[in-house]
Amino acid sequence: MAQQGWQACLVPSSDPHLSEYLPERWQTRQWLSGFTGSSGTLIVADTLATLFTDSRYWEQAEAELAGSGIALFKLEGAAVPAYTNWLKALNVAVPKPQLALDGSVMGLAQTQALRDALAVEGWTLATAQDPVDAIWPDRPAPPLTPVFEHTLPHAATSRADKLAALRQALRDKNATHHWIATLDDLAWVLNLRGADVDYNPVFVGHALITLDSATLFVADGKVPTDIQARLALDGVQCQPYDQAMPALRALPQDARLLIDPKRVTWGLREAVPEGVKVTEAINPTTLAKSRKTDAEAAFIREAMERDGAAMCAFYAWLESALGHEHVSELTIDERLSAERARQPGFVSLSFPTIAGFNANGALPHYRATPSSFAVLSTPQGLSAEGLLLIDSGAQYLGGTTDITRVWAIGTPTPAQQRDFTLVLKGTLALSRARFPQGTLAPMLDAIARAPLWSEGIDFGHGTGHGVGYFLNVHEGPQSISKAVPDPNMAMQPGMVTSIEPGLYRARHWGIRLENLVLNVPVAPAVPDAEPGSPEHGDYLAFETLSLCPIDTRCIDLSLLRADEIDWLNGYHAAVLRRLRPLVSGQALAWLEQRTLPI
C-alpha cells in the first residue's frame, strides 16, 4: 500500500465469478484475517484494519479475530454506507485518498455503488489486479478437477434447447453477445458440472454466447475429449481459461453485449472495448434455471424422499445412542453425512453441516471443529439436556436439499417450547400462504415474521433463499427477506425456495425450522371473480418438498390454532406415507413414532 500510494485496501469474500463458496486460491480475506465465515469484507488502512460482517457471524468473528489487531464492525444495514463512513473517519491528510481493490473479484453493481458513495467523501477507487498476490507465499493454484456432464434422465432439458432459449432471449433484448461469468449459470446452460467449489457442483470458467456460436473458457485438461466432442455438436468450442479476457477485449465494434451487473465483475466490464453497446440486465439463464420444469420437480421430490430416508436412519440412531454412546456435534455431522452418502444419486453435501447444541445453536452459521465442539452424550450416560439444531443438506443428481430441524435432548423447558412454537407458527404461516403470481418475494417475508413480531422478537437473516437443481444451494433471483425488491424477484411457477424463520437466544439456544417449497399454480382466492377485479388473476401456493418430522415434543400446544395443528398432522401423514417404503427396522419405528398426530 505504501509503495502504491494507497490509503486503504478493500478485500472482499469473492472470486472472479462472484461465488459464495470460494476455491482456495481466492480465499484472500480468510488468509489475511483468519476469519473463516463465508461472508465478510476486510478493509486495511495504514494503522488499523476492520472486518465488516452481518449478524450471522458476529460471535464467530469476535472469537476468530481475537488478538489479531483487526476490529469487528457489526453490519446491520447496507455495507457501502458502512465502508464510506469508516473511511471518512480515518481523517487522512492526502487530498484525494485512494481505496484499492481488486476489480477482477469485485461485482460490477457493488463497485459502481461504492465508487459513487466514495466520491461524495472525496475518496477515489484504485482498481488493481490482485494486489495481495505478491505477498501471499504458497498461494494455492486454481482448481483443475475434471468437468462431467449432467445427463439424462436428470438433465431433462437438452443443452441445445437451453442455448436456443438463451439466444431467443438475446434477440428479445436486441443483443448479439452475452457473457456468463457466474458458475451456476454456466453449469446450467451447458448441462455440465464439476467439483471446483466445495458443496456446489460447478467448475471455474467463462462463456461467451453469440447468436450463432458459443465459447467455453476453461483450463486445459478440465474437459475430457469425449465431452468436448459432444459440446462441439451443439456448437460449443473450448478455449483456455486465460483467453477469456482477451476475447472480451476483442469484441467487434458492432457487438451488442448483454451483461448482468450483479453477476459480472468490475474488471470484466472495464475490459469491454469502447464503442461496444452494453445492455445491463439480469442473465436470462438466472431466470430460466430458477423455474424448474415439471420433470425437474419430479426428480426433486424423489431426492427429497431419499434425503428424508437418510435423516430417519440418522435420527433413529441418534435417539438410541444418547446415554449409551459418545455423541458430539462432530459425530452428528459424520453420521448424518454417512447416511446421506448411502442414498442413490448422492454426490456431496450442499453446505457444511450445522450441528449446534444449546448455545451453539444460537450461532446461525456455527460449525463444530475438532478444537471446539459440544458433547451431548457419553457411554456412561447423558451429559446434558437442551435443544439440538441441525441444518444440513445434500447434492443429488436429481436435486439439492437444505433442511433444518430442532430436537429436544431430554425434556424441553416451557420457555424452549414457547420459542419453538413461535418459530413453527412462522414456518406454517408462510408455508400455507397463497399469493398472486408475480408477487415480489421480499413482500412475503413479513408473513413468516409476524408470529415472532407479535411477541417483540425478530431474527437477523433472511426468511428464504432460492435453491438450485443439482446446483447452488443458494440461488437467485428470488429472496424472501428484507431485501429491497426488484422486478426480477417476482415469484413464478417452478421456483424452489426455503422457508426458515428463526429465534436465537444468545448463550442459551437457537431455533430454526426450515423446509424447501415449490411454487405451484392454484385457483384464485375468488374463482368466479370478474376479469379485471382485484381478486382475479393467477395465484401461487407452496408445495412443501422437504420430508422429515418436526419434533412435537417441543411444541406448546396452547399457542397453536386448530388449523395449524391440522396442517402439521397432514404434513406428518404425508411424510410417513412417502418415507415408509424407503426405511425399515429402527428407522421405520422412529418415523412412525415421530409422525403420530397431535
Side-chain angles (χ1 to χ4, degrees):
M1 288 169 54
Q3 292 172 356
Q4 298 293 331
W6 301 329
Q7 282 64 54
C9 184
L10 183 149
V11 183
S13 301
S14 188
D15 67 3
H17 308 277
L18 305 181
S19 306
E20 177 182 13
Y21 297 106
L22 308 178
E24 289 186 2
R25 178 172 182 78
W26 289 288
Q27 292 179 8
T28 311
R29 185 265 302 151
Q30 177 175 324
W31 176 78
L32 275 170
S33 68
F35 170 62
T36 61
S38 64
S39 178
T41 298
L42 177 69
I43 300 184
V44 180
D46 186 23
T47 59
L48 71 163
T50 295
L51 177 86
F52 298 76
T53 193
D54 61 63
S55 62
R56 297 171 296 169
Y57 300 98
W58 289 347
E59 291 193 40
Q60 177 184 345
E62 286 176 344
E64 293 181 339
L65 296 177
S68 68
I70 300 172
L72 171 63
F73 189 105
K74 296 181 177 181
L75 283 174
E76 294 182 328
V80 168
Y83 302 160
T84 53
N85 290 336
W86 187 88
L87 291 167
K88 181 181 178 181
L90 287 178
N91 293 318
V92 295
V94 179
K96 290 187 177 180
Q98 295 186 77
L99 173 65
L101 51 80
D102 181 359
S104 71
V105 299
M106 283 287 291
L108 172 57
Q110 177 189 16
T111 308
Q112 289 170 333
L114 182 59
R115 177 198 59 194
D116 295 343
L118 288 175
V120 176
E121 305 299 338
W123 280 73
T124 59
L125 279 184
T127 55
Q129 187 69 31
D130 212 347
V132 180
D133 191 55
I135 64 168
W136 189 347
D138 303 320
R139 185 176 188 176
L144 294 174
T145 51
V147 169
F148 62 95
E149 283 190 281
H150 193 212
T151 59
L152 289 170
H154 299 105
T157 305
S158 71
R159 180 165 46 235
D161 287 346
K162 289 180 178 180
L163 288 170
L166 172 55
R167 289 182 172 121
Q168 183 57 53
L170 296 185
R171 294 185 185 96
D172 293 342
K173 293 286 187 181
N174 194 30
T176 59
H177 294 67
H178 177 47
W179 193 270
I180 298 178
T182 37
L183 304 185
D184 54 336
D185 287 288
L186 180 65
W188 180 85
V189 74
L190 296 179
N191 280 351
L192 299 177
R193 298 295 189 269
D196 287 353
V197 179
D198 288 344
Y199 311 111
N200 295 335
V202 296
F203 60 96
V204 172
H206 294 276
L208 176 61
I209 311 295
T210 75
L211 297 178
D212 56 13
S213 68
T215 305
L216 170 62
F217 299 96
V218 64
D220 289 338
K222 285 182 67 69
V223 183
T225 54
D226 60 327
I227 296 180
Q228 287 195 43
R230 287 191 288 276
L231 286 168
L233 292 176
D234 289 323
V236 182
Q237 303 299 319
C238 294
Q239 294 290 332
Y241 181 79
D242 59 11
Q243 292 303 302
M245 293 295 277
L248 189 57
R249 295 189 183 101
L251 286 179
Q253 286 293 302
D254 61 349
R256 299 188 301 275
L257 177 66
L258 172 65
I259 57 172
D260 187 336
K262 293 184 178 180
R263 293 172 178 84
V264 298
T265 64
W266 175 265
L268 282 170
R269 177 63 182 88
E270 291 290 281
V272 177
E274 288 189 21
V276 170
K277 182 179 178 181
V278 175
T279 298
E280 293 187 1
I282 190 170
N283 282 348
T285 50
T286 298
L287 291 171
K289 70 181 171 61
S290 72
R291 302 166 185 168
K292 282 51 174 182
T293 66
D294 290 344
E296 289 170 340
F299 283 118
I300 292 170
R301 295 184 186 100
E302 182 180 318
M304 295 293 172
E305 292 170 351
R306 294 296 179 184
D307 207 56
M311 288 186 287
C312 287
F314 163 75
Y315 284 121
W317 165 82
L318 175 63
E319 292 194 6
S320 68
L322 291 172
H324 306 285
E325 300 180 35
H326 175 79
V327 179
S328 74
E329 294 168 339
L330 290 177
T331 55
I332 287 170
D333 187 353
E334 293 166 0
R335 289 294 295 250
L336 180 53
S337 298
E339 290 295 346
R340 283 192 163 106
R342 294 187 180 98
Q343 295 298 321
F346 172 86
V347 176
S348 72
L349 300 185
S350 55
F351 58 94
T353 298
I354 299 168
F357 183 54
N358 283 341
N360 293 337
L363 306 175
H365 278 236
Y366 170 79
R367 189 174 189 193
T369 66
S371 60
S372 178
F373 60 90
V375 174
L376 285 74
S377 168
T378 66
Q380 293 75 35
L382 188 63
S383 61
E385 291 194 357
L387 297 180
L388 172 65
L389 182 153
I390 302 179
D391 187 349
S392 62
Q395 298 284 2
Y396 298 89
L397 292 174
T400 301
T401 70
D402 180 2
I403 183 170
T404 308
R405 291 292 185 263
V406 172
W407 301 96
I409 307 301
T411 302
T413 67
Q416 290 170 337
Q417 290 178 317
R418 175 180 175 275
D419 282 356
F420 184 98
T421 308
L422 290 174
V423 175
L424 175 61
K425 287 173 73 70
T427 302
L428 297 185
L430 187 50
S431 299
R432 301 171 63 202
R434 289 188 173 197
F435 47 92
Q437 182 174 316
T439 297
L440 300 182
M443 295 175 63
L444 303 174
D445 183 68
I447 298 174
R449 295 181 190 269
L452 295 163
W453 284 350
S454 68
E455 301 296 324
I457 304 168
D458 200 4
F459 51 94
H461 55 77
T463 295
H465 55 83
V467 178
Y469 178 65
F470 183 36
L471 271 175
N472 294 2
V473 73
H474 296 146
E475 174 183 278
Q478 76 272 29
S479 173
I480 303 177
S481 66
K482 296 179 181 179
V484 177
D486 71 58
N488 296 315
M489 294 179 177
M491 296 293 266
Q492 300 293 337
M495 286 181 166
V496 175
T497 313
S498 69
I499 295 178
E500 48 181 312
L503 192 163
Y504 307 96
R505 303 287 187 186
R507 298 175 295 281
H508 295 287
W509 60 75
I511 297 166
R512 186 166 62 254
L513 297 173
E514 175 187 18
N515 286 328
L516 300 190
V517 294
L518 175 71
N519 289 2
V520 294
V522 292
V526 185
D528 58 351
E530 291 295 323
S533 68
E535 296 83 8
H536 184 80
D538 297 322
Y539 274 69
L540 297 174
F542 290 127
E543 173 191 336
T544 298
L545 296 168
S546 304
L547 297 171
C548 183
I550 292 169
D551 193 350
T552 56
R553 298 170 299 177
C554 295
I555 295 175
D556 181 344
L557 287 175
S558 69
L559 298 178
L560 287 186
R561 304 187 307 268
D563 58 308
E564 292 171 321
I565 293 174
D566 289 345
W567 189 97
L568 184 59
N569 285 338
Y571 172 71
H572 278 157
V575 170
L576 176 62
R577 172 177 53 82
R578 292 176 62 184
L579 298 188
R580 178 185 276 150
L582 302 177
V583 295
S584 60
Q586 182 178 253
L588 176 58
W590 179 88
L591 173 65
E592 292 174 339
Q593 176 64 31
R594 290 286 163 249
T595 54
L596 289 173
I598 56 174

